Structures are given as C-alpha cells and as structure tokens.
C-alpha cells in the first residue's frame, strides 16, 4: 500500500505526489524511467514530502543550501535506493533514519542550531554515509553520529571535530549501541575534540575501523568526571573487531588511544601507527597506546591479536605504570588460546613486563625501543625510523625480521609483504641492507 502526503486536506498517493512535485518544479527526471527522479528541497516540509514521494520508487533528494533546524526523518520505505545529497553549505541539526533501508547520505554538515545535533540510525539496514562533517564547534551543544540496532552501515570519508567541547554532557563523535552488526568506519578524519571519545560504545557483531586518522583528544575545562575520558577509541562489548591501517594521535587525559573493556572478543589490531606526540600540541605525551581488559572487571576481551603495529606511544601514567601496552592480570587465569597474541610490533616502551609479556599467549618478534623485551625472540634497540614512522635502510632490527606465520600479508599501505616480512606497520621498500 502506497503512503502519501496531504495538500489542502486531500490525501495524495505517492505516485500522485510525485506528479504534483513535478508540476511544482521540484522534481527533475533523470532518465526515461519516470520513477527515477531528483527532488530539490529547501526546508523540512519539502524534505518530508520528497521522502513520501520517493518511498516506493527510490531516487535522489537534493538539499538546497540552507540551515535545516528541527528533525528530518526517513522512515520505513522500499528497497529502491534513496540518495540524500546536500549542496555546499547545507547544515542539518537532526537527521533520523528509523526502521529504513537502502539510504545513502552525503555532503551534509551535522551541526547544532539550538539543540544537540545528531544523525541517528536506528533499526535500519544498508545505510551509506559519505563526505559528512559532524561538528559542534563554537557551541555549548553536542554533535554525534549514533548507530543503534542497525546493520550493514558504512561511514566513509567524513570529518568529525569538536563534537562537544563545551557541553556539560558526555560527548562521543560516533556512538555505537547494542545490536549493531556489519559496521564499516573507513577513511575518516577525527580530530580536535575536547573531553570526548572519537568512537565509543558497544556493538553486536563485525565492526571494522580501517584507514582512519584519530588526532588530538584535548582536555576540556569542566569537572574531572566530564573531562577525564579521552580514549580515542573505546569499546565495551562486541564480537569480531578489526582495527587496521589507522593512525592514532595524542590524548591528554584518559586510559589509552585504543581501550578494549570487558566482552570484546575476536579482535585483530594490525598495521596501525600509534604516535606519542603531535607538533600542534607541544608538551603532550600520549601515555598508553593499547589497553586490553579493564583493571576492575573480571570479564576481559578474548582472542585478541596485536600484530605488525608501529607503536611509538609510551610515557609514565599518573598511577606509575610505564608501558605502551597494558593487559589485564585476569588473563593469568584463562586458557592460553584465549589470551592476547603479540607479534611483529615496534613497541615504544615496556618498563614492567608483568602486564604484557607474562599474560600474553605468545610474544614473538617484537622490538622494544625503551625498557625491556619479553623473553624469547624479542629485542630492545634503536630502529631508525623516518619522521613518518617508516623504516629506513638503517632499520636492521626490523627489515626481514618478522614472523611470517603470525604476521599480516599486507602492510599499512595495502602493499603485499615479501617472503621475509618486516616488523612494524610498514614494509620497507628501499634497497635492503646486507646482513
């Protein structure tokens, strides 16, 4: 049954609504197929009418340059693709994709006007978000992407910044909630957020973070409870997590750049670069890169693989711990196959191996820059990286020294590793030094 809209108190079916919109000059057919159209809108009422008109046919809604206050809603609809595209300068306060499917959204800015701004995806599937800007800069509100009980959602090539610098409420740029499945967060730029997590929450099954840049989680100036959580990425539960080819930058207050708590299982952390300093915030030193398992929780992540990362982070925490990685002591009571694997990594600092080496299922072919190495095939020494963290001809402790059986087939750039792989996120591409 077709849904419609109302004009002058008369209910108009979806097909007739499309005809009316054509007569109003808001619809431009894109082909000989009359069911494929572009509708140009300039306010919330026109957007709602366009959504109803394209409910069964699919098509494109183009938002003219304006500020769309209030809530724009896309509800239940057919499987015919709907594209929502903004002109340059379009700002939307709230966009709700509720129990819908096959919707793509691109070229929008999600920003507050009077209330918190958000793009909320709930109970939906096959959603694609591309080229968005999510920001609350200059306001006392928040701007957030929320994904709730949805599946097959992609977030690509978007920018998230200042997601809640002055808000008294906890702020997250991307917030995942229970029931999310098959989520891809790829090639995005997260930066300059005060007192917030860039990506935070709980997911159900299959989450990928690939090719993202996480830069500068900075302290806010409110109370400690509000400003003391600045983990760049933190997850509390979920099954099958892939974190690969990302760049993690500095945070000021918080636990770690990547914090895995409680029931996050079947995790692969591979080919990432963790940086401990940033020239834009001199004096900052990110303390811990990766924490696996919370200090106060008996439930810890299981089957975690940390392989082929370049971890340059490492400074003493307020509680005295000094190390780039920290793993929960709960692992001592678990079967070895459920404990974390640590292989082929450059590790900035291990001062006390108690919470790294002794709890890992296996630690093999890792090079530590400062401190002590785990027993076995692990070393301490200088690795002579370039300013970007790539190996040079002098990186003899890394080149051809990785474990082929535990490592990755490709490096952070997506290039294949050779038969004698290197340690770290990057495979060396120059002339190899003689042994």
């Amino acid at each position: 049954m077709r849904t419609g809209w109302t004009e002058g108190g008369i209910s108009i079916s979806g097909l007739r609504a499309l005809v009316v919109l054509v007569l109003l000059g808001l619809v431009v057919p894109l082909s000989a197929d009359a069911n494929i159209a572009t509708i140009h809108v300039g306010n919330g009422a026109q957007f709602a009418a366009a959504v109803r008109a394209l409910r069964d046919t699919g098509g494109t809604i183009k938002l003219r340059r304006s500020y769309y206050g209030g809530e724009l809603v896309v509800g239940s609809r057919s499987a015919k693709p709907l594209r929502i595209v903004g002109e340059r300068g379009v700002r939307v306060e709230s966009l709700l994709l509720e129990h819908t499917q096959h919707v793509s959204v691109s070229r929008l800015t999600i920003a507050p006007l009077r209330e918190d701004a958000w793009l909320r995806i709930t109970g939906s599937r096959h959603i694609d978000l591309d080229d968005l800007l999510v920001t609350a800069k200059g306001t006392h509100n928040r701007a957030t992407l929320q994904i709730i009980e949805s599946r097959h959602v992609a977030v690509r090539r978007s920018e998230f910044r200042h997601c809640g610098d002055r808000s008294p409420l906890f702020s997250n740029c991307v917030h995942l909630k229970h029931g999310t499945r098959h989520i891809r967060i790829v090639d995005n730029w997260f930066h300059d957020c005060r007192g917030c997590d860039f990506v935070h929450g709980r997911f159900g099954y299959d989450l990928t973070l690939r090719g993202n840049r996480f830069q500068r989680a900075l302290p806010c100036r409110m109370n400690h409870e509000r400003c003391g959580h600045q983990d760049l990425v933190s997850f509390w539960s979920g099954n099958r997590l892939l974190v690969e080819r990302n760049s993690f930058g500095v945070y000021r207050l918080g636990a770690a750049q990547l914090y895995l708590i409680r029931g996050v299982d079947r995790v692969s952390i591979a080919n990432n670069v963790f940086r401990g300093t940033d020239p834009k915030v001199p004096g900052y030193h990110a303390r811990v890169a990766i924490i696996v398992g919370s200090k106060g929780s008996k439930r810890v992540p299981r089957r975690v693989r940390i392989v082929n990362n370049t971890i340059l982070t490492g400074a003493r925490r307020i509680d005295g711990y000094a190390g780039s990685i920290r793993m929960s002591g709960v692992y001592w009571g678990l079967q070895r196959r459920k404990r974390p694997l640590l292989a082929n990594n450059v590790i900035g600092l291990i001062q006390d191996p108690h919470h790294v080496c002794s709890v890992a299922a296996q630690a093999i072919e890792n090079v530590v820059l400062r401190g002590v190495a785990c027993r076995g095939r692990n070393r301490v020494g200088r690795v002579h990286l370039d300013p970007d963290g790539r190996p040079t001809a002098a990186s003899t402790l890394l080149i051809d020294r990785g474990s082929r059986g535990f490592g990755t087939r490709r490096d952070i750039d997506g290039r294949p590793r050779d038969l004698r792989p290197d340690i770290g996120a990057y495979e060396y591409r120059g002339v190899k030094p003689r042994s």
Side-chain angles (χ1 to χ4, degrees), residues 236-253:
W236 293 69
S237 66
N239 188 5
R240 207 174 86 171
L241 169 65
L242 175 61
V243 181
E244 68 171 3
R245 303 179 192 171
N246 303 283
S247 175
F248 290 84
V250 299
Y251 68 95
R252 182 63 171 179
L253 299 173

Side-chain angles (χ1 to χ4, degrees), residues 119-121 129 134 143-147 155 160 172-175:
L119 196 169
R120 182 176 297 142
I121 304 168
L129 310 179
V134 178
T144 305
L145 166 61
Q146 297 180 346
I147 306 175
V155 185
F160 298 80
N172 303 294
C173 293
V174 176
H175 192 185

Side-chain angles (χ1 to χ4, degrees), residues 6 15 58 73 102 104 106 117 209 219 231 297 323 326 371 393 409 411 413:
T6 303
L15 182 59
V73 180
H102 297 283
S104 65
S106 61
L209 272 68
D231 313 312
S297 174
R326 183 182 175 98
R409 295 183 178 180
D411 72 355
D413 295 323

Side-chain angles (χ1 to χ4, degrees), residues 220-276:
C220 61
R221 297 182 178 181
M222 286 172 273
N223 61 76
H224 178 76
E225 182 181 2
R226 165 64 179 83
C227 301
H229 77 117
Q230 294 177 318
D231 313 312
L232 304 185
V233 175
S234 65
F235 295 117
W236 293 69
S237 66
N239 188 5
R240 207 174 86 171
L241 169 65
L242 175 61
V243 181
E244 68 171 3
R245 303 179 192 171
N246 303 283
S247 175
F248 290 84
V250 299
Y251 68 95
R252 182 63 171 179
L253 299 173
Q257 290 162 309
L258 175 59
Y259 191 15
L260 305 180
I261 315 166
R262 299 179 184 173
V264 187
D265 298 334
R266 297 174 64 195
V267 179
S268 177
I269 304 169
N271 293 319
N272 302 281
V273 174
F274 295 82
R275 306 182 189 279

Side-chain angles (χ1 to χ4, degrees), residues 49-76:
V51 169
R52 288 192 291 268
L54 300 180
R55 179 183 184 274
D56 299 316
T57 63
T60 300
I61 301 175
K62 284 196 173 182
L63 280 68
R64 294 193 175 100
R65 182 172 183 174
S66 181
Y67 200 110
Y68 295 77
E71 184 179 72
L72 306 182
V73 180
V74 179
S76 177

Side-chain angles (χ1 to χ4, degrees), residues 309-354:
N309 300 281
T310 297
I311 304 172
L312 305 178
T313 304
R316 186 176 298 278
R317 294 199 316 187
I318 297 173
D319 64 2
Y321 183 78
S324 303
I325 301 172
R326 183 182 175 98
M327 301 176 187
S328 172
V330 173
Y331 286 112
W332 295 323
L334 293 185
Q335 296 173 311
R336 186 167 293 275
R337 62 187 177 87
K338 296 180 180 180
R339 300 182 187 182
L341 166 69
L342 194 64
N344 294 358
N345 300 284
V346 176
I347 302 176
L349 174 65
I350 298 179
Q351 184 168 337
D352 181 1
H354 185 65

